[in-house]
Amino acid sequence: MEHSASRRAQGDNLSYFIEDPGTGTLYRRGQLLGKGAFGRCYKLTDTSTGKVYAVKIVPQARITRLESRGKVEREIELHCHLSHRHVVGFHRHFADRDNIYMILEYCSRKSLAHILKARKTLTEPEVRYYLRQIIAGLRYLHQQGIIHRDLKLSNFFLTKNMQVKIGDLGLATRDEQAGRRRGVVCGTPNYLAPEVIAKKGHSFQSDIWALGCVMYTALTGCSPFEITPKQEMYQCIREGRYPTPNHLSPGARDLIGRLLAPSPSARPSLEEVLEHEFFSQGFTPDKLPSRACHSVPIFAL
Ligand code: ADP
């Protein structure tokens, strides 16, 4: 394509214009949004509609090994059929000789990890606000038979109007595949559940464990299992032993304890999480102002 051939970006080998060979749609590549395990993510504009997206660009040269190519293909295969208000939208995907392109919904306020970094801790009403949306997205994924396997703050993206979108299905799997691949810990999930450490495989309940780690981290600013050396950390995970966050409400502490139950079958379902007193007896804001990205929001009750 003439545009791309003539307008090579300085410093890297990517063209400023990207054409979808299937539809002929021409996109203009914008600023770098971040770097991932296999490639980079850029802002992208459809030149005919002006609509803005995020594009994940994976160089073909980075995935020459069959294993890494399979991971990228699986991410596309799982993500491209999904459509939910709280899951990052998957617009299109295509490939050329140099790269694989995944065109995604643009989340301009980055992720919950960025917010936590600026804020240190979040308030309980905010955590209810974010968790309700995360649970809605996760319920949908689980209904589709998909285990995310890497739920963490940096995979919860935020749109301009502070809506949460679960993203990065790079480690996700279908339930039946998880069964067949029991014992295989692929990639490096952030929050390892006891059964994952024990190589018993990753189940829907392992996502619930990760949700407990997310809730703990958002409310305290620290991960529940941050201890080194690794063997000691694994022991704490197996026993569900973590520093008690005394400054939290009894409801928050109780819910964290249930989510971080060492036995997967003892953990609540997503429906039960929403029925817990942490949600039923506490206020959840309908909306969050964007200033909540860097300072404690004041809720007018
Ligand atoms: P990895 O999966 O290896 O963590 P990604 O390629 O998914 O990395 O993302 C790399 C970075 O690009 C993220 O940390 C984030 O800052 C940014 N990013 C990814 N997806 C989006 C999106 N949909 N909207 C805005 N930024 C995004």
mmCIF file of all heavy atoms in Angstrom, residues 33-41 54 56 75 88 104-108 110 114 154-155 157 168, ligand 1:
data_model
loop_
_atom_site.group_PDB
_atom_site.id
_atom_site.type_symbol
_atom_site.label_atom_id
_atom_site.label_comp_id
_atom_site.label_asym_id
_atom_site.label_seq_id
_atom_site.Cartn_x
_atom_site.Cartn_y
_atom_site.Cartn_z
ATOM 1 N N LEU A 33 0.564 3.642 23.453
ATOM 2 C CA LEU A 33 -0.187 3.578 24.721
ATOM 3 C C LEU A 33 0.537 2.728 25.746
ATOM 4 O O LEU A 33 0.423 2.950 26.944
ATOM 5 C CB LEU A 33 -1.586 3.015 24.475
ATOM 6 C CG LEU A 33 -2.488 3.833 23.547
ATOM 7 C CD1 LEU A 33 -3.766 3.074 23.222
ATOM 8 C CD2 LEU A 33 -2.821 5.179 24.183
ATOM 9 N N GLY A 34 1.265 1.741 25.283
ATOM 10 C CA GLY A 34 1.996 0.890 26.214
ATOM 11 C C GLY A 34 2.626 -0.289 25.505
ATOM 12 O O GLY A 34 2.336 -0.553 24.341
ATOM 13 N N LYS A 35 3.508 -0.960 26.235
ATOM 14 C CA LYS A 35 4.174 -2.131 25.671
ATOM 15 C C LYS A 35 3.637 -3.377 26.350
ATOM 16 O O LYS A 35 3.440 -3.389 27.559
ATOM 17 C CB LYS A 35 5.685 -2.046 25.895
ATOM 18 C CG LYS A 35 6.338 -0.986 25.042
ATOM 19 C CD LYS A 35 7.830 -0.952 25.287
ATOM 20 C CE LYS A 35 8.445 0.259 24.605
ATOM 21 N NZ LYS A 35 9.846 0.435 24.967
ATOM 22 N N GLY A 36 3.443 -4.420 25.570
ATOM 23 C CA GLY A 36 2.958 -5.671 26.127
ATOM 24 C C GLY A 36 3.994 -6.769 26.004
ATOM 25 O O GLY A 36 5.143 -6.505 25.630
ATOM 26 N N ALA A 37 3.582 -7.996 26.329
ATOM 27 C CA ALA A 37 4.507 -9.123 26.302
ATOM 28 C C ALA A 37 5.029 -9.374 24.886
ATOM 29 O O ALA A 37 6.209 -9.663 24.689
ATOM 30 C CB ALA A 37 3.808 -10.360 26.834
ATOM 31 N N PHE A 38 4.158 -9.270 23.892
ATOM 32 C CA PHE A 38 4.563 -9.588 22.515
ATOM 33 C C PHE A 38 4.672 -8.379 21.599
ATOM 34 O O PHE A 38 5.269 -8.457 20.540
ATOM 35 C CB PHE A 38 3.578 -10.582 21.896
ATOM 36 C CG PHE A 38 3.624 -11.940 22.533
ATOM 37 C CD1 PHE A 38 2.515 -12.438 23.186
ATOM 38 C CD2 PHE A 38 4.780 -12.706 22.485
ATOM 39 C CE1 PHE A 38 2.560 -13.693 23.787
ATOM 40 C CE2 PHE A 38 4.828 -13.952 23.079
ATOM 41 C CZ PHE A 38 3.715 -14.454 23.734
ATOM 42 N N GLY A 39 4.047 -7.287 21.976
ATOM 43 C CA GLY A 39 4.070 -6.155 21.043
ATOM 44 C C GLY A 39 3.729 -4.850 21.725
ATOM 45 O O GLY A 39 3.849 -4.721 22.939
ATOM 46 N N ARG A 40 3.298 -3.912 20.901
ATOM 47 C CA ARG A 40 2.995 -2.583 21.432
ATOM 48 C C ARG A 40 1.556 -2.215 21.147
ATOM 49 O O ARG A 40 0.948 -2.735 20.211
ATOM 50 C CB ARG A 40 3.908 -1.552 20.769
ATOM 51 C CG ARG A 40 5.336 -1.741 21.186
ATOM 52 C CD ARG A 40 6.248 -0.826 20.429
ATOM 53 N NE ARG A 40 7.613 -1.066 20.883
ATOM 54 C CZ ARG A 40 8.571 -0.153 20.883
ATOM 55 N NH1 ARG A 40 8.327 1.050 20.424
ATOM 56 N NH2 ARG A 40 9.758 -0.448 21.323
ATOM 57 N N CYS A 41 1.056 -1.286 21.936
ATOM 58 C CA CYS A 41 -0.323 -0.861 21.788
ATOM 59 C C CYS A 41 -0.332 0.637 21.451
ATOM 60 O O CYS A 41 0.353 1.419 22.112
ATOM 61 C CB CYS A 41 -1.028 -1.127 23.110
ATOM 62 S SG CYS A 41 -2.784 -1.035 23.001
ATOM 63 N N ALA A 54 -7.862 1.373 20.063
ATOM 64 C CA ALA A 54 -6.497 1.008 20.475
ATOM 65 C C ALA A 54 -6.122 -0.167 19.587
ATOM 66 O O ALA A 54 -6.968 -1.013 19.303
ATOM 67 C CB ALA A 54 -6.503 0.575 21.937
ATOM 68 N N LYS A 56 -3.379 -3.337 19.103
ATOM 69 C CA LYS A 56 -2.280 -4.141 19.635
ATOM 70 C C LYS A 56 -1.548 -4.677 18.414
ATOM 71 O O LYS A 56 -2.151 -5.371 17.587
ATOM 72 C CB LYS A 56 -2.868 -5.309 20.429
ATOM 73 C CG LYS A 56 -2.359 -5.456 21.818
ATOM 74 C CD LYS A 56 -3.216 -6.421 22.592
ATOM 75 C CE LYS A 56 -2.393 -7.319 23.459
ATOM 76 N NZ LYS A 56 -3.198 -7.994 24.464
ATOM 77 N N GLU A 75 -5.617 -15.914 22.003
ATOM 78 C CA GLU A 75 -6.175 -14.657 22.527
ATOM 79 C C GLU A 75 -7.187 -14.080 21.531
ATOM 80 O O GLU A 75 -8.283 -13.667 21.908
ATOM 81 C CB GLU A 75 -5.034 -13.648 22.782
ATOM 82 C CG GLU A 75 -5.547 -12.286 23.201
ATOM 83 C CD GLU A 75 -4.443 -11.285 23.541
ATOM 84 O OE1 GLU A 75 -3.265 -11.681 23.562
ATOM 85 O OE2 GLU A 75 -4.784 -10.121 23.782
ATOM 86 N N VAL A 88 -13.408 -5.309 27.286
ATOM 87 C CA VAL A 88 -12.845 -4.470 26.211
ATOM 88 C C VAL A 88 -13.357 -4.976 24.858
ATOM 89 O O VAL A 88 -13.216 -6.163 24.537
ATOM 90 C CB VAL A 88 -11.293 -4.513 26.231
ATOM 91 C CG1 VAL A 88 -10.708 -3.810 25.005
ATOM 92 C CG2 VAL A 88 -10.752 -3.872 27.506
ATOM 93 N N LEU A 104 -8.983 -2.753 19.098
ATOM 94 C CA LEU A 104 -9.773 -2.854 20.333
ATOM 95 C C LEU A 104 -10.433 -1.531 20.684
ATOM 96 O O LEU A 104 -10.001 -0.465 20.216
ATOM 97 C CB LEU A 104 -8.851 -3.255 21.498
ATOM 98 C CG LEU A 104 -7.965 -4.487 21.314
ATOM 99 C CD1 LEU A 104 -6.944 -4.567 22.435
ATOM 100 C CD2 LEU A 104 -8.830 -5.741 21.276
ATOM 101 N N GLU A 105 -11.427 -1.623 21.545
ATOM 102 C CA GLU A 105 -12.053 -0.431 22.099
ATOM 103 C C GLU A 105 -10.991 0.386 22.848
ATOM 104 O O GLU A 105 -10.186 -0.181 23.591
ATOM 105 C CB GLU A 105 -13.136 -0.906 23.079
ATOM 106 C CG GLU A 105 -13.862 0.165 23.818
ATOM 107 C CD GLU A 105 -14.963 -0.446 24.695
ATOM 108 O OE1 GLU A 105 -15.002 -1.696 24.856
ATOM 109 O OE2 GLU A 105 -15.760 0.313 25.221
ATOM 110 N N TYR A 106 -11.008 1.691 22.645
ATOM 111 C CA TYR A 106 -10.000 2.548 23.272
ATOM 112 C C TYR A 106 -10.422 2.920 24.704
ATOM 113 O O TYR A 106 -11.538 3.394 24.919
ATOM 114 C CB TYR A 106 -9.846 3.816 22.423
ATOM 115 C CG TYR A 106 -8.919 4.855 23.000
ATOM 116 C CD1 TYR A 106 -7.630 4.525 23.386
ATOM 117 C CD2 TYR A 106 -9.328 6.181 23.130
ATOM 118 C CE1 TYR A 106 -6.773 5.484 23.911
ATOM 119 C CE2 TYR A 106 -8.483 7.152 23.638
ATOM 120 C CZ TYR A 106 -7.202 6.788 24.028
ATOM 121 O OH TYR A 106 -6.362 7.746 24.539
ATOM 122 N N CYS A 107 -9.537 2.676 25.638
ATOM 123 C CA CYS A 107 -9.818 2.995 27.043
ATOM 124 C C CYS A 107 -8.870 4.118 27.466
ATOM 125 O O CYS A 107 -7.718 3.867 27.825
ATOM 126 C CB CYS A 107 -9.634 1.751 27.913
ATOM 127 S SG CYS A 107 -10.703 0.393 27.399
ATOM 128 N N SER A 108 -9.369 5.348 27.404
ATOM 129 C CA SER A 108 -8.469 6.504 27.501
ATOM 130 C C SER A 108 -7.922 6.746 28.904
ATOM 131 O O SER A 108 -6.918 7.430 29.058
ATOM 132 C CB SER A 108 -9.172 7.761 27.002
ATOM 133 O OG SER A 108 -10.249 8.056 27.850
ATOM 134 N N LYS A 110 -6.614 4.609 30.925
ATOM 135 C CA LYS A 110 -5.665 3.549 31.280
ATOM 136 C C LYS A 110 -6.326 2.502 32.180
ATOM 137 O O LYS A 110 -7.432 2.087 31.890
ATOM 138 C CB LYS A 110 -4.401 4.136 31.901
ATOM 139 C CG LYS A 110 -3.670 5.054 30.930
ATOM 140 C CD LYS A 110 -2.377 5.486 31.529
ATOM 141 C CE LYS A 110 -1.537 6.232 30.506
ATOM 142 N NZ LYS A 110 -0.346 6.774 31.133
ATOM 143 N N HIS A 114 -3.079 2.129 37.271
ATOM 144 C CA HIS A 114 -2.604 3.515 37.184
ATOM 145 C C HIS A 114 -3.297 4.373 38.246
ATOM 146 O O HIS A 114 -2.668 5.213 38.885
ATOM 147 C CB HIS A 114 -2.901 4.097 35.800
ATOM 148 C CG HIS A 114 -2.096 3.458 34.714
ATOM 149 N ND1 HIS A 114 -2.549 2.376 33.998
ATOM 150 C CD2 HIS A 114 -0.867 3.745 34.236
ATOM 151 C CE1 HIS A 114 -1.633 2.023 33.125
ATOM 152 N NE2 HIS A 114 -0.593 2.829 33.244
ATOM 153 N N SER A 154 -4.098 -4.039 36.530
ATOM 154 C CA SER A 154 -3.653 -3.491 35.240
ATOM 155 C C SER A 154 -4.431 -4.071 34.063
ATOM 156 O O SER A 154 -4.278 -3.609 32.940
ATOM 157 C CB SER A 154 -2.150 -3.708 35.052
ATOM 158 O OG SER A 154 -1.867 -5.082 35.135
ATOM 159 N N ASN A 155 -5.268 -5.076 34.299
ATOM 160 C CA ASN A 155 -6.112 -5.602 33.221
ATOM 161 C C ASN A 155 -7.552 -5.100 33.314
ATOM 162 O O ASN A 155 -8.428 -5.573 32.593
ATOM 163 C CB ASN A 155 -6.068 -7.133 33.197
ATOM 164 C CG ASN A 155 -4.773 -7.637 32.578
ATOM 165 O OD1 ASN A 155 -4.117 -6.896 31.846
ATOM 166 N ND2 ASN A 155 -4.404 -8.865 32.870
ATOM 167 N N PHE A 157 -9.385 -1.967 32.465
ATOM 168 C CA PHE A 157 -9.204 -0.708 31.737
ATOM 169 C C PHE A 157 -10.376 0.228 32.014
ATOM 170 O O PHE A 157 -11.459 -0.212 32.394
ATOM 171 C CB PHE A 157 -9.064 -1.000 30.248
ATOM 172 C CG PHE A 157 -7.806 -1.752 29.923
ATOM 173 C CD1 PHE A 157 -7.807 -3.137 29.847
ATOM 174 C CD2 PHE A 157 -6.606 -1.089 29.736
ATOM 175 C CE1 PHE A 157 -6.639 -3.840 29.579
ATOM 176 C CE2 PHE A 157 -5.435 -1.782 29.462
ATOM 177 C CZ PHE A 157 -5.449 -3.155 29.382
ATOM 178 N N ASP A 168 -7.175 -7.822 28.129
ATOM 179 C CA ASP A 168 -6.031 -8.727 28.060
ATOM 180 C C ASP A 168 -6.423 -10.184 28.308
ATOM 181 O O ASP A 168 -6.248 -10.710 29.409
ATOM 182 C CB ASP A 168 -4.936 -8.292 29.031
ATOM 183 C CG ASP A 168 -3.640 -9.035 28.761
ATOM 184 O OD1 ASP A 168 -3.630 -9.899 27.849
ATOM 185 O OD2 ASP A 168 -2.641 -8.757 29.438
HETATM 186 P P1 ADP B 1 0.092 -7.281 27.951
HETATM 187 O O1 ADP B 1 -1.055 -8.108 27.476
HETATM 188 O O2 ADP B 1 1.397 -7.908 27.600
HETATM 189 O O3 ADP B 1 0.005 -6.826 29.369
HETATM 190 P P2 ADP B 1 -1.061 -5.343 26.184
HETATM 191 O O4 ADP B 1 -0.470 -5.436 24.830
HETATM 192 O O5 ADP B 1 -2.423 -5.908 26.407
HETATM 193 O O6 ADP B 1 0.006 -5.930 27.180
HETATM 194 O O7 ADP B 1 -1.104 -3.838 26.638
HETATM 195 C C1 ADP B 1 0.043 -3.042 26.777
HETATM 196 C C2 ADP B 1 -0.354 -1.683 27.316
HETATM 197 O O8 ADP B 1 -1.134 -1.012 26.333
HETATM 198 C C3 ADP B 1 -1.246 -1.731 28.546
HETATM 199 O O9 ADP B 1 -0.520 -1.739 29.709
HETATM 200 C C4 ADP B 1 -2.056 -0.453 28.415
HETATM 201 O O10 ADP B 1 -1.364 0.632 28.983
HETATM 202 C C5 ADP B 1 -2.184 -0.266 26.931
HETATM 203 N N1 ADP B 1 -3.488 -0.756 26.436
HETATM 204 C C6 ADP B 1 -3.810 -2.050 26.140
HETATM 205 N N2 ADP B 1 -5.081 -2.148 25.697
HETATM 206 C C7 ADP B 1 -5.593 -0.890 25.709
HETATM 207 C C8 ADP B 1 -6.872 -0.314 25.367
HETATM 208 N N3 ADP B 1 -7.877 -1.078 24.924
HETATM 209 N N4 ADP B 1 -7.034 1.028 25.495
HETATM 210 C C9 ADP B 1 -6.010 1.798 25.960
HETATM 211 N N5 ADP B 1 -4.791 1.333 26.300
HETATM 212 C C10 ADP B 1 -4.569 0.008 26.182
#
